Amino acid sequence: MKTETLLIDRLAGEANGGFLKTVVFENDVRDVLLEFVSIKGRYHLGEKPAEDGFDVLLIIAGAGVLEENSGDNRIGSGTVARIPYLSGYGIRAEADEELSFVRLRRLLDEKDIQVIGDRLESYKTPYIKALSECPTYKEDIKSEKTLNRMILPEGLVPRLAMGSVETVGPDEVGEHEHPMLDQVFLGLEGCRCSCHADGEEIVLTENMMLHIPLGSTHHVSVENKEKLAYIWMDFFLSLEGEKYMGEQHQVEDQQT
């Protein structure tokens, strides 16, 4: 397992605003670019349309504005945004604002682009949602007291899905493996749980990202009165592997 901790206040000393972008787990996850981005003050980040990539933003601190074809959208901590396919977009912060987010760029292969082309209109609409409003789901490897949310369901971005897990110890996410995907965790507020993979143990804490290697046998445990709270990001090797989502995750409500 590899870890990287995101420094949320890394622009605190910049009186006139600024911009920082850092690659996370560089070259560790196939067909994926993970970046940690911070902007402060009157700063505008612009992105051109890309046929071979699909962007998802996970806002983890602060507030700002996402500009895309449908107009300006206020975004803040605890928001996920899927950028419409083939759309340029901008992100800006005002004079008194600071924004920190993870940008996931799924690099598309020929099969991905073919799937998108089959129902292009559905991929060209924005998907912006507060994590607290995302539908809940159940999974056999998790206890009944666990609160699980489906943040980015299967089918919104080829070979990518995201969800969250929250519980208080003692509890655990049972042992399992993913031969069809790479998985990355992001620790949420107050998180302190132990991630185990192939005999290694790492404590996951707030704003820490952790990469579980492809195919590793792993589980997560949390001690009495400690908090397990993280977002999982599943990066599938193939479109066929996405069937895992429907087989293992039973979505309970369909909030829109």
Side-chain angles (χ1 to χ4, degrees), residues 28 57 65 68 83 93 100 109 127 142 179 208-209 249 251:
D28 282 349
L57 311 179
V65 175
E68 45 86 25
I83 305 301
S100 296
D109 60 23
Y127 177 88
K142 296 167 184 171
M208 177 188 290
M209 297 189 74
H249 303 79
V251 176

Side-chain angles (χ1 to χ4, degrees), residues 36-248:
F36 174 46
V37 182
S38 303
I39 61 176
K40 181 181 180 181
R42 293 193 180 278
Y43 192 91
H44 184 274
L45 172 65
E47 291 291 341
K48 296 179 180 179
E51 185 177 1
D52 61 349
F54 220 135
D55 282 6
V56 176
L57 311 179
L58 181 61
I59 315 304
I60 55 177
V65 175
L66 169 63
E67 308 163 343
E68 45 86 25
N69 290 340
S70 65
D72 288 359
N73 302 275
R74 289 292 299 177
I75 52 175
S77 179
T79 303
V80 62
R82 184 204 69 171
I83 305 301
Y85 183 58
L86 292 180
S87 294
Y89 64 98
I91 303 167
R92 73 174 190 264
E94 303 300 342
D96 60 345
E97 292 181 329
E98 190 169 350
L99 184 66
S100 296
F101 60 92
V102 175
R103 177 165 62 186
L104 302 83
R105 177 165 292 173
R106 161 56 81 188
L107 304 178
L108 305 173
D109 60 23
E110 290 184 5
K111 291 183 178 179
D112 297 331
I113 293 174
Q114 182 179 352
V115 165
I116 292 171
D118 289 342
R119 49 187 189 93
L120 184 59
E121 287 307 311
S122 68
Y123 287 101
K124 295 184 74 172
T125 56
Y127 177 88
I128 303 173
K129 212 170 185 69
L131 271 57
S132 60
E133 297 175 355
C134 293
T136 59
Y137 72 90
K138 293 292 186 182
E139 191 175 8
D140 290 343
I141 59 174
K142 296 167 184 171
S143 74
E144 286 297 318
K145 71 177 184 178
T146 303
L147 174 62
N148 311 295
R149 293 194 181 275
M150 192 62 65
I151 295 171
L152 191 77
E154 172 191 0
L156 288 177
V157 177
R159 296 188 292 133
L160 172 61
M162 296 169 56
S164 64
V165 186
E166 294 187 48
T167 188
V168 176
D171 204 353
E172 68 174 1
V173 177
E175 188 172 85
H176 59 293
E177 59 184 32
H178 300 137
M180 78 297 289
L181 61 89
D182 274 281
Q183 191 166 62
V184 172
F185 291 167
L186 170 62
L188 296 174
E189 182 178 0
C191 179
R192 186 171 182 81
C193 60
S194 296
C195 301
H196 311 258
D198 297 336
E200 183 180 9
E201 178 181 352
I202 291 178
V203 176
L204 179 70
T205 56
E206 185 175 337
N207 297 325
M208 177 188 290
M209 297 189 74
L210 181 147
H211 176 214
I212 296 176
L214 177 69
S216 293
T217 300
H218 61 282
H219 70 282
V220 185
S221 60
V222 59
E223 298 296 330
N224 187 39
K225 297 184 180 180
E226 297 283 5
K227 185 177 181 181
L228 179 158
Y230 61 82
I231 290 172
W232 52 260
M233 311 169 197
D234 285 357
F235 303 102
F236 295 89
L237 298 180
S238 69
L239 291 167
E240 181 72 16
E242 283 187 336
K243 292 180 179 178
Y244 167 84
M245 296 302 298
E247 293 169 353
Q248 301 296 322

